Amino acid sequence: MRTYRYFLLLFWVGQPYPTFSTPLSKRTSGFPAKKRTLELSGNSKNELNRSKRSWMWNQFFLLEEYTGSDYQYVGKLHSDQDRGDGSLKYILSGDGAGDLFIINENTGDIQATKRLDREEKPVYILRAQAINRKTGRPVEPESEFIIKIHDINDNEPIFTKEVYTATVPEMSDVGTFVVQVTATDADDPTYGNSAKIVYSILQGQPYFSVESETGIIKTALLNMDRENREQYQVVIQAKDMGGQMGGLSGTTTVNITLTDVNDNPPRFPQSTYQFKTPESSPPGTPIGRIKASDADLGENAEIEYSITEGEGLDMFDVITDQETQEGIITVKKLLDFEKKKVYSLKVEASNPHVEPRFLYLGPFKDSATVKIMVEDVDEPPVFSKLAYILQIREDAQINTTIGSVTAQDPDAARNPVKYSVDRHTDMDRIFNIDSGNGSIFTSKLLDRETLLWHNITVIATEINNPKQSSRVPLYIKVLDVNDNPPEFAEFYETFVCEKAKADQLIQTLRAVDKDDPYSGHQFSFSLAPEAASGSNFTIQDNKDNTAGILTRKNGYSRHEMSTYLLPVVISDNDYPVQSSTGTVTVRVCACDHQGNMQSCHAEALVHPTGLSTGALVAILLCIVTLLG
Ligand SMILES: *[C@@H]1O[C@H](CO)[C@@H](O)[C@H](O)[C@H]1NC(C)=O
Ligand SMILES: *[C@@H]1O[C@H](CO)[C@@H](O)[C@H](O)[C@H]1NC(C)=O
Ligand SMILES: *[C@@H]1O[C@H](CO)[C@@H](O)[C@H](O)[C@H]1NC(C)=O
Ligand SMILES: *[C@@H]1O[C@H](CO)[C@@H](O)[C@H](O)[C@H]1NC(C)=O
Ligand SMILES: *[C@@H]1O[C@H](CO)[C@@H](O)[C@H](O)[C@H]1NC(C)=O
Ligand SMILES: *[C@@H]1O[C@H](CO)[C@@H](O)[C@H](O)[C@H]1NC(C)=O
């Protein structure tokens, strides 16, 4: 029980008056009375001015939380009409009258019967009356007065949170804001210091400080390093009575975590790394992992690796494993033990996210040397080319050399190799290879017009280690030789009208040739010599690989000759010249005025049936139509 707080106080606020009892007025030093006069009820004041001050009170004060065994004395009502002979009777009405507050009707002494709590009800409004006992008439007008419950400091400051959590970046400047804590006090803030709170730090120095009036927590130490210590538990006290002795206090805990900033560069734990890889490793093969450590967190600990110098700058790569922040060294280009056996690289690790204000600490990067040993691997023979293209004339004799391939064992041992043709690619055994020197021969006759390209595969095998073998494609193109004569492009059968004039074109001829001369075909056409003399037709060579058959006289007769067979010689002008003779069949026919064929049969003119010419024409038309 904090009994020291429960002393009783009652004091007079208005003009001191000799007859008013102020039993505790001498003990009021801690409770300034000054402000209270302003809170007089206007009503009561008016009353006083108007009624010549016959009432000798206006406002009473009473301490809350009185715990004494007796009733608490409040004060005395007194009228200057009271001559002390018991003729006056004081009557009390209003808030709690007769119950909370009782009055001695003879003396006017008011007492409180219960303990009062300002935080529950700070003001009671009552009315007083003084009446003459004999006449029952009031000797004073009824007047209102106030009993104010004085605050005592019975509430301690309470923080809005039991535990605060806050973060502040490590390495912050001294005085950097961390968090503000707040405590409240239920006591009367307008009276005394019961609600005047002062903050202080009980735990957490010298790292943090608190502003006594605001509760703002700030950093107090330079260079606080998260990598050294991350968590701080700070205890803040809030004390009322302006922080003085005897004030009540409450505390709160503030959990403060330092957040990471990039104040640590990456560092390789060792200066040299050594890896080995077989020379056969294909590009992209990982060779080994290196890891620089970084004391920071998250993106501040992210590391980028790069190869900055060394003989293997373009032979190797380094990539970052995003999960582990390791650098993975990989093969970039094909290695060759026989060319270079050891590489030395300088690999750099750097932080991509750098905070410029820490650059004075030095560069945020580190480098290490990586040595890579290339290991020898027994390799198959290597051909001098990735593919070979050879050419051979189609008239080449058997055993003609087309060309040659070469392959070599790249290993230091330089094992001898032998050559062979992959028979699956040369089923007809058209080609042979000299197993010792790689010369390619024909073993069959060739024909370009049958097959232009022979695409085969040649194998090179190490003689004393047949498992080591390689294959190479060989494209053999057969070159054209003029070994085919030109021929008519189609079978030509045509007709000439009986009434044809000389020099009329009756047919155009075209020719084809299977050969494929470099400068294109140049055919020539002529009548076969045996048919040239006395021929009834001429051949006109158009010099564009076509020729025309022309009439040589006016008028042909079916009776004399129903069909002519014209032998035409076609020759190419290539080397060696090739020619052939084709026959064009020309029939003699009756035609209409437009030159359209009407009848080609000699016997049709002998019409023994005696049909009219009109009927014959109709039948002929039918036949022509059917033939068409
Ligand atoms: C009451 O009387 C006092 C003194 O005579 C005076 O100063 C004050 O202004 C008066 N108040 C009112 C409300 O009339
Ligand atoms: C505050 O810190 C203490 C000690 O580190 C811990 O036990 C507690 O759980 C923390 N409280 C909160 C709310 O983070
Ligand atoms: C091709 O050469 C082989 C061996 O050199 C020989 O046996 C064969 O008779 C030759 N063939 C011809 C057609 O010359
Ligand atoms: C390869 O050897 C054959 C005999 O087997 C020979 O005729 C030919 O000229 C040689 N070719 C070369 C390129 O040495
Ligand atoms: C052979 O190779 C040539 C040249 O690459 C190509 O044009 C031709 O189509 C190939 N022929 C076959 C049958 O693969
Ligand atoms: C040309 O035609 C006549 C008939 O008109 C014929 O007797 C002669 O044999 C023909 N000449 C040749 C070369 O066919």
Side-chain angles (χ1 to χ4, degrees):
M1 279 299 232
R2 295 170 295 199
T3 46
Y4 70 94
R5 291 166 56 202
Y6 296 119
F7 57 90
L8 175 71
L9 173 74
L10 171 65
F11 62 97
W12 172 253
V13 179
Q15 296 293 321
Y17 202 81
T19 54
F20 187 78
S21 137
T22 58
L24 292 168
S25 60
K26 291 183 191 76
R27 295 166 60 186
T28 59
S29 57
F31 302 89
K34 42 191 167 38
K35 311 169 198 143
R36 296 303 175 213
T37 49
L38 296 174
E39 292 169 11
L40 286 171
S41 124
N43 186 17
S44 147
K45 247 186 160 178
N46 282 339
E47 213 59 72
L48 273 172
N49 277 12
R50 194 165 42 80
S51 63
K52 310 170 294 176
R53 293 178 155 272
S54 51
W55 276 115
M56 276 166 268
W57 45 265
N58 52 16
Q59 191 171 20
F60 296 112
F61 292 91
L62 190 57
L63 261 189
E64 62 170 332
E65 302 288 0
Y66 173 69
T67 53
S69 50
D70 301 336
Y71 288 167
Q72 190 182 3
Y73 185 70
V74 177
K76 194 180 182 70
L77 289 181
H78 192 76
S79 166
D80 58 0
Q81 304 289 313
D82 187 353
R83 285 178 295 277
D85 56 2
S87 60
L88 283 191
K89 179 182 174 185
Y90 294 98
I91 297 170
L92 195 62
S93 60
D95 288 343
D99 167 25
L100 210 50
F101 301 106
I102 53 171
I103 192 162
N104 182 322
E105 56 179 41
N106 292 321
T107 61
D109 287 327
I110 302 171
Q111 284 178 302
T113 61
K114 288 193 185 123
R115 170 176 145 173
L116 299 167
D117 185 0
R118 187 198 66 85
E119 284 74 33
E120 225 168 62
K121 185 168 167 66
V123 171
Y124 293 84
I125 298 168
L126 295 118
R127 286 181 302 281
Q129 232 186 340
I131 57 169
N132 189 308
R133 281 183 192 273
K134 287 181 187 146
T135 62
R137 294 231 303 273
V139 295
E140 294 282 355
E142 189 179 65
S143 182
E144 196 173 81
F145 68 100
I146 292 169
I147 295 176
K148 279 205 166 188
I149 310 302
H150 250 174
D151 185 46
I152 63 165
N153 188 17
D154 58 345
N155 289 284
E156 72 260 5
I158 292 172
F159 280 97
T160 51
K161 289 187 193 171
E162 246 171 63
V163 180
Y164 289 80
T165 57
T167 60
V168 67
E170 60 171 331
M171 309 303 258
S172 288
D173 291 336
V174 168
T176 301
F177 175 89
V178 179
V179 70
Q180 181 170 22
V181 296
T182 312
T184 54
D185 192 308
D187 289 320
D188 185 353
T190 63
Y191 173 70
N193 283 331
S194 301
K196 185 169 173 12
I197 293 172
V198 165
Y199 299 94
S200 60
I201 185 164
L202 297 188
Q203 180 186 312
Q205 280 168 318
Y207 310 105
F208 298 97
S209 64
V210 66
E211 272 184 14
S212 61
E213 286 183 5
T214 59
I216 289 175
I217 298 174
K218 293 177 171 179
T219 57
L221 194 65
L222 199 62
N223 293 342
M224 280 205 280
D225 192 5
R226 187 200 66 82
E227 287 74 31
N228 244 355
R229 180 174 168 189
E230 192 174 1
Q231 296 279 344
Y232 292 85
Q233 209 166 28
V234 173
V235 178
I236 302 292
Q237 184 188 61
K239 194 170 185 183
D240 61 17
M241 300 303 293
Q244 284 169 5
M245 285 267 290
L248 302 178
S249 64
T251 61
T252 189
T253 303
V254 187
N255 279 3
I256 299 174
T257 307
L258 295 187
T259 55
D260 189 52
V261 300
N262 193 359
D263 58 343
N264 290 284
R267 285 282 172 258
F268 280 110
Q270 57 195 86
S271 61
T272 311
Y273 295 82
Q274 196 158 321
F275 300 114
K276 52 189 176 182
T277 184
E279 59 175 330
S280 58
S281 302
T285 308
I287 300 173
R289 288 171 171 254
I290 55 177
K291 184 167 183 356
S293 54
D294 190 314
D296 292 317
L297 285 182
E299 76 168 21
N300 295 329
E302 275 177 20
I303 296 174
E304 271 172 4
Y305 296 91
S306 59
I307 298 174
T308 52
E309 55 178 87
E311 314 124 309
L313 209 54
D314 54 346
M315 300 301 288
F316 300 95
D317 250 343
V318 62
I319 51 173
T320 302
D321 181 333
Q322 296 299 338
E323 300 252 311
T324 61
Q325 300 300 328
E326 288 171 315
I328 307 169
I329 313 273
T330 61
V331 178
K332 188 173 177 184
K333 282 191 186 161
L334 279 175
L335 301 167
D336 188 352
F337 172 82
E338 286 72 30
K339 272 193 194 140
K340 192 158 170 56
K341 297 175 176 59
V342 179
Y343 290 90
S344 177
L345 317 171
K346 196 173 163 197
V347 177
E348 192 177 87
S350 60
N351 280 153
H353 308 281
V354 177
E355 221 161 308
R357 68 188 170 111
F358 292 120
L359 285 178
Y360 74 91
L361 295 172
F364 273 63
K365 53 175 98 164
D366 193 18
S367 57
T369 302
V370 175
K371 279 208 170 117
I372 298 164
M373 313 290 177
V374 180
E375 295 171 313
D376 193 20
V377 166
D378 191 5
E379 292 162 289
V382 176
F383 280 96
S384 63
K385 293 181 183 174
L386 292 175
Y388 294 85
I389 298 176
L390 302 177
Q391 296 183 334
I392 179 80
R393 282 168 62 94
E394 61 177 319
D395 61 353
Q397 297 300 304
I398 289 173
N399 283 350
T400 304
T401 306
I402 305 171
S404 67
V405 300
T406 51
Q408 208 179 37
D409 177 12
D411 296 321
R414 293 271 183 258
N415 285 321
V417 296
K418 61 176 183 186
Y419 304 94
S420 58
V421 172
D422 180 349
R423 286 301 163 201
H424 296 291
T425 63
D426 181 30
M427 300 279 222
D428 298 331
R429 296 184 165 269
I430 299 168
F431 304 98
N432 249 330
I433 191 163
D434 183 289
S435 68
N437 65 15
S439 283
I440 315 278
F441 303 95
T442 56
S443 59
K444 294 246 168 82
L445 291 175
L446 303 166
D447 182 22
R448 187 199 73 86
E449 287 71 35
T450 309
L451 193 55
L452 176 60
W453 285 96
H454 295 269
N455 299 345
I456 65 174
T457 299
V458 167
I459 303 168
T461 310
E462 286 182 22
I463 290 170
N464 41 18
N465 185 4
K467 277 184 193 161
Q468 297 292 350
S469 71
S470 338
R471 306 157 68 84
V472 75
L474 196 58
Y475 304 107
I476 301 170
K477 186 180 186 184
V478 181
L479 299 178
D480 187 46
V481 168
N482 191 23
D483 55 356
N484 290 284
E487 291 165 345
F488 280 144
E490 57 191 274
F491 174 71
Y492 290 112
E493 191 181 39
T494 184
F495 70 96
V496 62
C497 293
E498 284 186 307
K499 289 176 182 164
K501 299 270 186 289
D503 286 331
Q504 275 186 353
L505 176 68
I506 59 166
Q507 179 66 46
T508 300
L509 305 174
R510 282 173 227 285
V512 291
D513 190 325
K514 287 177 188 159
D515 291 320
D516 185 18
Y518 181 71
S519 53
H521 293 296
Q522 284 177 339
F523 303 129
S524 57
F525 301 83
S526 61
L527 273 178
E530 68 272 17
S533 63
S535 171
N536 293 296
F537 298 93
T538 52
I539 296 282
Q540 180 186 300
D541 191 335
N542 296 328
K543 307 287 182 199
D544 62 353
N545 294 335
T546 67
I549 299 177
L550 304 160
T551 53
R552 202 177 175 186
K553 60 178 187 180
N554 293 325
Y556 292 80
S557 164
R558 278 184 283 173
H559 296 297
E560 280 175 20
M561 188 77 98
S562 64
T563 304
Y564 295 90
L565 296 173
L566 297 180
V568 178
V569 176
I570 320 154
S571 62
D572 55 30
N573 289 301
D574 225 328
Y575 176 84
V577 172
Q578 299 275 357
S579 65
S580 69
T581 304
T583 302
V584 181
T585 306
V586 184
R587 305 180 75 189
V588 181
C589 301
C591 301
D592 62 12
H593 289 300
Q594 280 81 42
N596 295 318
M597 180 218 281
Q598 284 190 320
S599 169
C600 303
H601 295 282
E603 57 276 21
L605 285 177
V606 189
H607 36 87
T609 49
L611 287 172
S612 74
T613 315
L616 277 171
V617 167
I619 290 166
L620 275 171
L621 278 176
C622 286
I623 292 167
V624 168
T625 312
L626 284 172
L627 284 172

